[in-house]
Amino acid sequence: MLLVFGLTAVFRTVSEGTFHCPQCGGDRAYRRRAGRRWLSVFFVPLVPLWRLGQSVECRTCRARFPVSALRTPTAQRMAETLAAGMRAAAALVLRAGDPGNAAARARAVETVTGYGEPEYDGEAIDADLALRRTFLEREVVGAGAQLAVEAKEWFLAQVVRIGLAGGPLGEAQRRELHGIADLLGMSPAYALGVIVTTEGAAR
């Protein structure tokens, strides 16, 4: 009897989810696949041999990528991170001024809802004001990691406008704004330029 031996690669799905597909250029469903080489007889895998590692397969274009592709945030995750960062920055600058100022709070609501938080309101502001500084700072750092240089400038300018809505900036607010800029990854000189320019445009 003639036996037909061979080597066969067998892949199995170990997890599924949504990722940013480098080839499609958008959020897509994926499956994470683990492979193994088998000794086969009559094309039937019988003896497991060495592992082939893991890859990520896009369910739309079927392209395969290294597992490191999962580190790129999805568009949805980026939007959530930016909204959370703006909420945190608004809380920091409000706390540095007059947290009860109606105009500043209204501006904060307008800004944060524009960043994708439609449920953000006065109660949400009060809840954020009670959060620990370290938590708020982490949220701003997370937002800064997603932003290009120009977007960081716009982000900071929006926070400055929240502070300005309650009147001229006080020293505590200026220090807070520079702290927010530092968390975003902006240099002190760059931050000063954005703050001064935004103040001038508001006059």
Side-chain angles (χ1 to χ4, degrees), residues 161-183:
R161 292 186 182 103
I162 293 173
L164 288 171
L169 297 175
E171 284 306 310
Q173 288 175 304
R174 291 183 187 279
R175 286 195 298 271
E176 195 64 74
L177 289 168
H178 278 281
I180 291 169
D182 182 61
L183 294 171

Side-chain angles (χ1 to χ4, degrees), residues 5-23:
F5 293 93
L7 294 176
T8 302
V10 177
F11 291 87
R12 62 187 178 87
T13 299
V14 296
S15 65
E16 297 185 51
T18 303
F19 83 133
H20 179 83
C21 176
Q23 183 157 299

Side-chain angles (χ1 to χ4, degrees), residues 153 156-158 160-161 164 193-203:
E153 178 180 330
L156 180 61
Q158 295 287 17
V160 174
R161 292 186 182 103
L164 288 171
V194 173
I195 294 169
V196 171
T197 300
T198 307
E199 282 184 291
R203 293 194 184 104

Side-chain angles (χ1 to χ4, degrees), residues 57-137:
E57 180 184 281
C58 176
R59 301 299 294 266
T60 301
C61 68
R62 301 298 180 186
R64 290 185 177 179
F65 308 95
V67 175
S68 59
L70 297 179
R71 295 178 194 155
T72 303
T74 62
Q76 180 180 351
R77 178 58 185 156
M78 285 183 65
E80 292 171 353
T81 300
L82 292 179
M86 181 53 75
R87 280 186 66 156
L92 288 169
V93 76
L94 285 173
R95 213 152 61 177
D98 178 6
N101 184 280
R105 289 169 70 94
R107 180 72 191 197
V109 170
E110 178 185 347
T111 303
V112 175
T113 54
Y115 266 74
E117 283 274 1
E119 305 301 320
Y120 186 77
D121 56 13
E123 290 186 7
I125 291 177
D126 292 333
D128 289 352
L129 289 171
L131 294 172
R132 292 184 177 182
R133 166 175 286 275
T134 52
F135 174 81
L136 297 174
E137 289 178 342

